Amino acid sequence: MEWNQRYIKLCNVKIYCEYSLSDKPPLLLIHGFASSIYTFNLLIPLLKEHFSIIVIDLPGFGRSEKSASFVYSFQNYAKVVADCIEYFNLKDVNVAGHSMGGQIALYTAKIIPEKIKKLVLLSSSGYLKRANKALVLCTYLPFFHYYVRRKVQSKEVREHLENVFYQPSLITENHIVEFGKPLQEDGFYIALMRLLRHREGDLSSKELKNISIPTLLLWGKEDKVVPVNIGYQLANDLPNAKIITYEKTGHLITEERSNEVYEQIVTHTLI
């Protein structure tokens, strides 16, 4: 199948996407916070054998527009995903999201449940509240994004990666280059600041109980970013969910357990 790369306009934002469409079941992949399509670089070659794949860089991340007018709320991110599904005229879509992308997948399931067949949540964000009011107010200060930049860049890229890998020996130079790219762009920090300002918080237990779409949760037991107990709580609140966990695995499960994740996505969505 041909692998395509292009920019498309979704919700008035220029979005970078990669895709391969056929008569195979559609699978849409959503990356997490401060990440990009690269999150799925090991999974995509495996998944292409079974699915039509669409993967996007969310507004503010990767190669997509770092808009200074887009409202960076989960509700709006979900609308971008819904618009993407509409753009490609997809039905019965399987949606997989990593970290923050998992929460966006849940928001998407809430607004267009009729178009989503199954969900896969990979080390998904869950139960985070909105940032405190003092911090939100700080985002309106003229030079606050410089503070955000300095805070992020106070650590080397490798240090950030060591927080999401259980096995630091797996970190390659390619990881450092790809995950470090956004940190060099001024627009990234403005988008980050606006996400801090607009993020309304994760879905509540009450809201999750209304999402009946079959959901698979995959988690690393040593996840330091989103602890595995969040996964168990999500599995309990979502009425049609199950969780599978992996030992000696951190937050970036797509890299450390790519083969296992691939097999579970196929089993959950196709069998």
Side-chain angles (χ1 to χ4, degrees), residues 143-191:
F143 303 108
F144 186 70
H145 67 280
Y146 290 117
Y147 167 77
V148 175
R149 181 181 187 124
R150 190 164 65 248
K151 185 77 172 173
V152 171
Q153 292 187 343
S154 65
K155 290 184 179 179
E156 296 291 330
V157 175
R158 175 172 282 278
E159 288 183 81
H160 288 295
L161 287 171
E162 285 174 352
N163 195 46
V164 296
F165 275 85
Y166 171 75
Q167 301 180 69
S169 61
L170 295 177
I171 299 170
T172 66
E173 278 304 312
N174 207 40
H175 287 127
I176 292 169
V177 169
E178 291 296 330
F179 284 103
K181 279 179 182 176
L183 310 186
Q184 310 307 316
E185 300 179 54
D186 284 338
F188 167 75
Y189 295 99
I190 293 171

Side-chain angles (χ1 to χ4, degrees), residues 42-57:
L42 294 181
L43 276 173
I44 288 171
L46 301 171
L47 293 168
K48 278 197 300 185
E49 300 302 313
H50 301 278
F51 299 95
S52 288
I53 294 181
I54 303 96
V55 56
I56 63 173
D57 280 337

Side-chain angles (χ1 to χ4, degrees), residues 24-196:
K24 295 175 182 177
L27 173 65
L28 195 152
L29 303 171
I30 311 171
H31 68 79
F33 177 75
S35 194
S36 69
I37 285 171
Y38 185 75
T39 297
F40 305 104
N41 84 102
L42 294 181
L43 276 173
I44 288 171
L46 301 171
L47 293 168
K48 278 197 300 185
E49 300 302 313
H50 301 278
F51 299 95
S52 288
I53 294 181
I54 303 96
V55 56
I56 63 173
D57 280 337
L58 294 168
F61 300 109
R63 283 176 268 190
S64 287
E65 182 182 354
K66 280 73 177 173
S67 171
S69 59
F70 182 77
V71 175
Y72 290 82
S73 65
F74 287 157
Q75 182 76 8
N76 277 351
Y77 274 134
K79 286 178 181 177
V80 168
V81 175
D83 213 13
C84 182
I85 290 169
E86 184 70 26
Y87 180 91
F88 286 104
N89 194 29
L90 304 175
K91 296 176 182 176
D92 294 326
V93 187
N94 301 293
V95 179
H98 176 254
S99 196
M100 184 182 80
Q103 189 61 216
I104 293 168
L106 288 167
Y107 265 84
T108 306
K110 182 184 174 186
I111 65 173
I112 54 164
E114 70 284 357
K115 292 191 177 181
I116 297 177
K117 183 182 178 184
K118 293 185 178 177
L119 292 171
V120 180
L121 306 182
L122 308 167
S123 310
S124 174
S125 170
Y127 310 102
L128 283 176
K129 304 298 183 184
R130 190 177 185 193
N132 68 65
K133 288 183 179 180
L135 198 52
V136 171
L137 287 172
C138 283
T139 67
Y140 290 93
L141 297 173
F143 303 108
F144 186 70
H145 67 280
Y146 290 117
Y147 167 77
V148 175
R149 181 181 187 124
R150 190 164 65 248
K151 185 77 172 173
V152 171
Q153 292 187 343
S154 65
K155 290 184 179 179
E156 296 291 330
V157 175
R158 175 172 282 278
E159 288 183 81
H160 288 295
L161 287 171
E162 285 174 352
N163 195 46
V164 296
F165 275 85
Y166 171 75
Q167 301 180 69
S169 61
L170 295 177
I171 299 170
T172 66
E173 278 304 312
N174 207 40
H175 287 127
I176 292 169
V177 169
E178 291 296 330
F179 284 103
K181 279 179 182 176
L183 310 186
Q184 310 307 316
E185 300 179 54
D186 284 338
F188 167 75
Y189 295 99
I190 293 171
L192 219 57
M193 179 186 71
R194 290 178 67 84
L195 175 59
L196 182 63

